[in-house]
């Protein structure tokens, strides 16, 4: 089997600020990631090695299969956790799953922004959302509807449909948070115009504050409101 290209966390950071805590985090990440690194190394051909470059198609296909399997496992765990915590699966997807799928985009935006490519960081954030909405939703639903013989898929369950028809539910959560997303996008454009399309501390603090408010509202909607706020 191929050798595992992974190194133990070094202790040279102990003398730095919060060195002990940082070393603990490094070991925690090492322990969590080690099984996955082993599975990826042993099942996906490393195209960086000239010996395996001809297997690039297999490497790409196996990578996609791993992503699909891990995504399925993540969604299943989130749904089960939501049932145990009595949190609606829509809110769990809106917060937990969204964070899990957006972390790679955030890291890539951070890396390109540090290199001075702020426009690429912004376009990555916008492009990834367009991809998620148009292709990430459109393609799976199109495949599912085709398998079901053209029958539409309902986003609301029977209880929620009854509440909507009776007027107890004024607006569906999907439409409500869709309008909130639209308002966030409009406010984002206003912020960019106000700072003359420059990324600075004002933009960072404003965007983080908006996300915190969004998360707070999502949980208020779940635990306090009864489809009426």
């Amino acid at each position: 089997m191929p050798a595992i290209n992974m190194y133990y966390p070094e202790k040279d950071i102990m003398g730095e600020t919060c060195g002990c805590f940082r070393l603990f985090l490094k070991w925690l990440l090492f322990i969590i990631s080690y099984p996955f690194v082993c599975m990826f190394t042993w099942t996906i051909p490393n195209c960086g090695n000239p010996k395996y470059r001809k297997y690039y198609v297999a490497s790409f296909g196996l990578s996609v299969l791993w992503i699909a399997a891990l995504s399925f496992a993540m969604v299943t765990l989130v749904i089960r956790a939501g049932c145990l915590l009595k949190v609606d699966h829509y809110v769990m997807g809106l917060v937990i799953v969204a964070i899990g799928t957006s972390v790679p985009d955030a890291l890539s935006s951070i890396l390109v922004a540090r290199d001075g490519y702020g426009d690429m960081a912004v376009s990555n954030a916008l492009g990834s959302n367009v991809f998620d909405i148009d292709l990430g939703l459109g393609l799976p639903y199109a495949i599912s509807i085709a398998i079901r013989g053209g029958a539409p898929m309902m986003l609301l369950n029977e209880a929620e449909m009854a509440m909507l028809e009776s007027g107890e539910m004024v607006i569906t959560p999907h439409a409500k948070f869709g309008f909130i997303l639209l308002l966030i996008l409009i406010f984002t454009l206003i912020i960019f115009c106000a700072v003359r399309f420059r990324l600075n501390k004002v933009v960072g603090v404003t965007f983080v504050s908006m996300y915190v408010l969004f998360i707070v509202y999502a949980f208020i909607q779940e635990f306090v409101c009864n489809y009426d706020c």
Side-chain angles (χ1 to χ4, degrees):
M1 288 186 178
I4 305 300
N5 187 15
M6 197 171 183
Y7 300 98
Y8 293 105
E10 298 180 356
K11 297 182 179 181
D12 55 354
I13 61 174
M14 290 294 294
E16 301 178 4
T17 304
C18 301
C20 184
F21 180 69
R22 291 172 59 186
L23 182 63
F24 170 76
L25 290 180
K26 285 181 177 291
W27 270 105
L28 181 63
L29 292 176
F30 177 85
I31 294 172
I32 294 175
S33 61
Y34 185 77
F36 295 99
V37 173
C38 292
M39 290 187 294
F40 299 154
T41 303
W42 293 338
T43 58
I44 302 176
N46 182 14
C47 294
N49 189 338
K51 181 180 178 181
Y52 300 108
R53 285 182 180 175
K54 59 183 178 180
Y55 301 113
Y56 64 92
V57 175
S59 180
F60 177 79
L62 289 170
S63 299
V64 172
L65 288 178
W66 269 115
I67 292 173
L70 293 175
S71 299
F72 178 80
M74 179 186 68
V75 172
T76 303
L77 291 174
V78 168
I79 293 175
R80 299 293 177 85
C83 292
L84 294 175
L85 299 174
K86 297 182 180 180
V87 178
D88 185 71
H89 58 84
Y90 180 79
V91 176
M92 294 295 289
L94 194 68
V95 179
I96 307 300
V97 176
I99 293 175
T101 57
S102 299
V103 166
D105 293 332
L107 293 177
S108 60
S109 294
I110 291 172
L111 292 176
V112 296
R114 290 177 59 183
D115 291 336
Y117 301 103
D119 54 346
M120 186 181 295
V122 175
S123 61
N124 173 59
L126 297 177
S128 61
N129 281 278
V130 172
F131 179 88
D132 292 341
I133 294 173
D134 292 340
L135 191 61
L137 286 179
L139 182 60
Y141 276 120
I143 295 174
S144 178
I145 291 173
I147 294 175
R148 292 155 56 95
M153 296 184 64
M154 302 302 296
L155 298 178
L156 302 177
N157 55 38
E158 296 181 358
E160 292 172 337
M161 285 296 298
M163 294 174 63
L164 183 63
E165 293 174 355
S166 64
E168 185 177 354
M169 181 190 297
V170 180
I171 183 173
T172 63
H174 311 80
K176 182 183 301 183
F177 284 100
F179 284 124
I180 293 176
L181 176 60
L182 179 60
L183 292 176
I184 291 176
L185 291 176
I186 293 174
F187 190 70
T188 298
L189 292 176
I190 294 174
I191 291 295
F192 278 138
C193 292
V195 298
R196 298 182 180 181
F197 297 95
R198 292 176 297 179
L199 297 177
N200 52 31
K201 293 181 180 180
V202 174
V203 176
V205 172
T206 303
F207 286 177
V208 171
S209 300
M210 283 196 300
Y211 183 73
V212 172
L213 291 175
F214 174 80
I215 296 298
V216 170
Y217 177 77
F219 282 107
I220 290 177
Q221 175 72 30
E222 174 65 21
F223 294 108
V224 178
C225 300
N226 188 21
Y227 298 101
D228 56 359
C229 63

